[in-house]
Amino acid sequence: QVQLVESGGGLVQAGGSLRLSCASSGMIFSLNDMGWYRQAPGKQRELVARITHRGITNYADSVKDRFVISRDNAKNTVYLQMNSLKPEDTAVYYCNAPVSSGGAWPWGQGTQVTVSS
């Protein structure tokens, strides 16, 4: 059974930084593309960063040049370094393996990021 456990969220002032982690189990992590998603209140969940199993990355325009996704296959973990945070980055952040319908695996509990102005 695949499990995804996100951590590292918190309350930060605008302009600050946070590093999120997502530990996975129950799958061959190194063979999976992985992504970070977020869902703000009243909005749909959106994919903000993606890293292929080979390490190629891409980002939503809203976070490009501020967020960096990385992975450690030895630890079955994907990270999201978030810099220059803005109030509009406030959301619950999730990780998953991106597929056309959303995420390939059951969603974890997510981690709350709140950016104050």
Side-chain angles (χ1 to χ4, degrees), residues 23-105:
S24 69
S25 60
M27 61 168 164
I28 304 175
F29 179 80
S30 62
L31 298 182
N32 278 267
D33 294 357
M34 293 297 295
W36 279 97
Y37 299 73
R38 68 186 181 188
Q39 187 168 21
K43 295 189 177 181
Q44 287 191 329
R45 184 151 37 201
E46 60 171 341
L47 178 65
V48 297
R50 177 176 184 149
I51 184 166
T52 71
H53 64 286
R54 296 182 181 273
I56 298 170
T57 60
N58 56 61
Y59 301 91
D61 288 344
S62 58
V63 306
K64 199 172 294 183
D65 299 325
R66 299 189 298 121
F67 290 10
V68 178
I69 188 171
S70 61
R71 64 191 297 159
D72 185 336
N73 289 339
K75 295 182 178 180
N76 293 342
T77 299
V78 62
Y79 304 97
L80 187 68
Q81 177 67 44
M82 305 188 295
N83 302 318
S84 302
L85 283 161
K86 304 176 180 180
E88 51 264 43
D89 295 319
T90 295
V92 180
Y93 284 72
Y94 304 86
C95 70
N96 211 317
V99 294
S100 58
S101 58
W105 310 112

